[in-house]
């Protein structure tokens, strides 16, 4: 029987992406932003579609199904009902939203047909938003059956769903409906704390350990958490139903003032609010997980939706042993909806049997394009940089040399990652033992706030030697405490420090990846990630340390680099010391000063 090819698409809302599946196997997946260089690009993912088809050796006409990750008519129904419920308030928001709906979102078959050049011969299918999320988590998981939680801002009417997956079937059993949303609660506080909604939530999570949850009781006034894991929000404090902002005047009065101005100084107050919000989020997600276990009786849990990227809460669920095993979709947000739509098309629409393997079906999330030797040589010629080519063994030795010397290294290897995390293919790395590394990377390379933590990549077999974590975490989605025997004694006088003053305290043997609360967002590395695994093995042989710093290869406001030329440009316009493009090595000391550094920083760093 001929294989079935299904294209999944997410577009027109946030972080557009495409995914190609062949008989339920993920062949390729990528976000549109990586090709257009527009952060969270929401347009039809034409470049991502072209890449997926090229990777699969297909034309549009050979597709068996095209599946969209959302049901726009249900979303439109929610918008109209919400506008009517709050009328005449919200009329301005209504006027801004309607042209996009009337010209684009209500005509998605037409728009997608046009984008695909009119070559697709079949009908377009539409999958409910949270069903796409559920499919993205369950179908690639290593579980024959599992409970499923999807938690995000909103998709159609649902903001949270609880379901169960068995074999090739997924059933959503319960839901929490708009406007009550854990994702929108977190986004409201992200807005209030002066960060950008839909991208600054990571900052709020990273800011929380600097604070004390002094505002916990006030947040409990705006959200009612119940024993069964459900919740309701007091909408007097929010403005996202009827206005152009997230929070209302009542919210501002409750928390003592207007929203923080973006780019202004972050004070202890913002840190304490972030800490309070994270405590509420932890409780809510843990309650949902416990209820999912009670309702389904399943031993395993799959999670997706933007809130499933809250690795602090994920780590709490794992430590509490609510479930035996947890699988979280690494592209848990809207981009992952494209992957879920493709797999839903394969198993639910076309009846392809689901095959469960010993590992997960995400292939390490290395689902994006790989650029070969010719592409790298072309980028080097175009940018007129000096480079050397090394053999593989020599390369690993030199990488260890440079890290020991305190250098910051850009690594560009193999297929690009799918999702928000760099996992060793498009990464910036360094020595975690260096106490200056976190500040150096944040301020001189990433051009971002100095308080933001970096993640450790650790050999899987050595993870328990460094962190209180006894399971795999290949996608950097679990926060765990640094092991007690790796911690440094508290320095005299440091016990009472608050806020950013905590940053400069040496807390462990690996200070560059130890957050101020002795936690770390862990990436475990095994043989399925061959380049990173061999590098870590060599680093351990050299230093006795099984950990390196790993952060994404980009600067603030820029998508992770995709093509070799983008890697070279980022390297040249930051204070990165070394760039490794496969086996080609660039040393900053050998390069002429870049001509467009000021323009580069203006384009990305202050976004």
């Amino acid at each position: 029987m001929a294989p079935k090819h299904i294209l999944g698409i997410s577009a027109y809302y946030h972080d557009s992406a495409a995914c190609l599946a062949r008989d339920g196997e993920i062949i390729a997946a990528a976000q549109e932003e990586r090709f257009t260089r527009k952060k969270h690009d929401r347009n039809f993912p034409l470049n991502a579609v072209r890449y997926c088809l090229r990777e699969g050796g297909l034309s549009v006409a050979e597709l068996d199904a095209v599946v969209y990750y959302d049901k726009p008519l249900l979303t439109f129904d929610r918008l109209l009902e919400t506008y009517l419920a709050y009328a005449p308030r919200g009329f301005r928001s209504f006027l801004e939203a309607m042209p996009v709906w009337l010209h684009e979102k209500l005509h998605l078959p037409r728009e997608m047909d046009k984008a695909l050049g009119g070559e697709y011969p079949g009908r377009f299918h539409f999958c409910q938003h949270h069903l796409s999320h559920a499919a993205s988590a369950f179908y690639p998981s290593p579980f024959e059956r599992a409970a499923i939680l999807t938690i995000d801002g909103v998709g159609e009417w649902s903001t949270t769903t609880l379901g169960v997956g068995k074999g090739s079937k997924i059933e959503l059993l319960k839901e929490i409906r708009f406007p009550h949303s854990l994702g929108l609660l977190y986004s409201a506080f992200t807005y209030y704390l002066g960060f950008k909604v839909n991208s600054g939530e990571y900052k709020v999570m990273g800011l929380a350990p600097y604070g004390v949850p002094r505002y916990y009781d006030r947040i409990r006034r705006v959200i009612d958490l119940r024993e069964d894991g459900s919740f309701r929000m007091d909408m007097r404090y929010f403005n996202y139903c009827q206005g152009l902002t997230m929070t209302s005047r009542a919210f501002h009065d409750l928390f003592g003032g207007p929203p923080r101005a973006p780019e202004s100084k972050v004070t202890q107050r913002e840190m304490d609010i972030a800490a309070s919000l994270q405590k509420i989020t932890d409780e809510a997600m843990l309650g949902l997980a416990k209820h999912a276990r009670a309702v389904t009786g399943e031993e395993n849990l799959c999670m997706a939706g933007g809130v499933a990227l809250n690795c602090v809460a994920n780590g709490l669920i794992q430590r509490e042993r609510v479930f035996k095993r947890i699988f979280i979709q690494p592209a848990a947000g809207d981009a992952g909806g494209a992957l879920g739509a493709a797999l839903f098309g394969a198993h639910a629409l076309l009846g392809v049997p689901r095959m469960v393997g010993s590992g997960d079906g995400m292939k390490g999330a290395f689902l994006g394009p790989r650029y070969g030797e010719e592409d790298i040589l072309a980028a080097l010629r175009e940018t007129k940089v000096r480079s050397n080519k090394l053999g593989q063994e020599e390369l690993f030795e030199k990488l260890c040399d440079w890290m020991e010397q305190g250098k910051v290294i850009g690594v560009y290897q193999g297929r690009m990652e799918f999702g928000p995390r760099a996992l060793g293919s498009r990464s910036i790395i360094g020595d975690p033992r260096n106490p200056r590394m976190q500040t150096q990377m944040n301020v001189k390379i990433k051009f971002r706030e100095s308080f933001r933590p970096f993640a450790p990549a650790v050999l899987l077999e050595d993870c328990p030697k460094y962190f209180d974590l006894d399971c795999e975490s290949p996608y950097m989605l679990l926060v765990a405490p640094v092991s007690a025997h790796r911690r440094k004694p508290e320095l005299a006088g440091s016990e009472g420090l608050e806020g950013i003053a905590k940053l400069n305290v040496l807390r462990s043997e690996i200070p560059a990846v130890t957050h101020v609360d002795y936690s770390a967002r862990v990436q475990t590395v095994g043989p399925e990630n061959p380049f990173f695994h061999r590098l870590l093995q060599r680093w351990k042989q050299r230093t006795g340390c099984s950990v390196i710093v790993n952060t994404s290869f980009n600067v603030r406001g820029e998508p992770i680099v995709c093509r070799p030329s983008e890697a070279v440009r980022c390297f040249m316009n930051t204070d990165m010391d070394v760039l490794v493009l496969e086996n080609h090595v660039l040393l900053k000391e050998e390069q002429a000063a870049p001509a467009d550094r000021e323009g580069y920083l203006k384009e990305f760093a202050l976004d």
Side-chain angles (χ1 to χ4, degrees), residues 182 185 216 219-220 222-233 279-285 287-288:
L182 200 58
L185 175 80
Y216 174 84
I219 299 181
R220 285 302 301 262
V222 307
I223 182 169
D224 176 25
L225 299 181
R226 300 176 177 179
E227 288 187 8
D228 66 353
S230 64
F231 50 84
R232 289 188 66 81
M233 293 160 60
K279 184 177 179 180
I280 290 284
T281 303
D282 290 349
E283 291 180 5
M285 291 185 68
L288 287 166

Side-chain angles (χ1 to χ4, degrees), residues 193-269:
L193 295 178
F195 302 115
K196 193 172 182 180
V197 172
N198 288 328
S199 63
E201 285 79 2
Y202 297 123
K203 300 181 184 182
V204 176
M205 185 171 62
L207 189 65
Y210 292 92
V212 177
R214 297 186 175 100
Y215 291 84
Y216 174 84
D217 290 338
R218 296 193 205 185
I219 299 181
R220 285 302 301 262
R221 290 168 62 179
V222 307
I223 182 169
D224 176 25
L225 299 181
R226 300 176 177 179
E227 288 187 8
D228 66 353
S230 64
F231 50 84
R232 289 188 66 81
M233 293 160 60
D234 188 335
M235 297 311 297
R236 292 176 300 171
Y237 295 101
F238 301 94
N239 198 42
Y240 56 76
C241 287
Q242 70 273 28
L244 298 175
T245 60
M246 296 296 295
T247 54
S248 69
R249 183 172 297 175
F251 186 104
H252 305 161
D253 291 342
L254 179 63
F255 290 98
R260 167 183 164 263
E263 305 299 332
S264 63
K265 183 180 178 181
V266 176
T267 68
Q268 188 62 46
R269 172 173 166 270

Side-chain angles (χ1 to χ4, degrees), residues 245-323:
T245 60
M246 296 296 295
T247 54
S248 69
R249 183 172 297 175
F251 186 104
H252 305 161
D253 291 342
L254 179 63
F255 290 98
R260 167 183 164 263
E263 305 299 332
S264 63
K265 183 180 178 181
V266 176
T267 68
Q268 188 62 46
R269 172 173 166 270
E270 282 80 39
M271 297 175 192
D272 291 345
I273 292 174
S276 307
L277 174 64
Q278 186 60 50
K279 184 177 179 180
I280 290 284
T281 303
D282 290 349
E283 291 180 5
M285 291 185 68
L286 184 60
L288 287 166
K290 288 180 176 179
H291 187 60
R293 178 66 190 262
V295 168
T296 67
E298 298 293 341
E299 292 187 337
N300 302 310
L301 174 66
C302 296
M303 295 176 65
V307 181
L309 293 171
N310 193 303
C311 47
V312 176
N314 296 342
L316 176 62
I317 294 170
Q318 191 274 332
R319 288 193 300 278
E320 290 286 327
R321 304 297 184 197
V322 181
F323 288 88

Side-chain angles (χ1 to χ4, degrees), residues 206-212 268 271 432-436 438-439 450-453 466-467 480-520:
L207 189 65
Y210 292 92
V212 177
Q268 188 62 46
M271 297 175 192
R433 304 168 303 166
N434 187 331
R436 299 182 300 277
Q438 179 185 2
T439 300
S450 62
F451 66 79
R452 294 180 65 182
Y466 290 88
F467 309 102
V482 174
S483 297
H485 66 279
R486 297 289 179 179
R487 299 182 184 185
K488 298 285 187 182
E490 285 277 355
L491 295 175
S494 66
E495 301 89 345
L497 293 177
E498 286 195 340
I500 207 70
K502 296 179 179 181
L503 181 62
N504 297 319
V505 176
L506 195 67
R507 287 185 164 74
S508 79
E509 297 172 12
I510 44 173
V513 294
T514 302
H515 209 1
V516 295
D517 60 350
Y518 293 96
S519 69

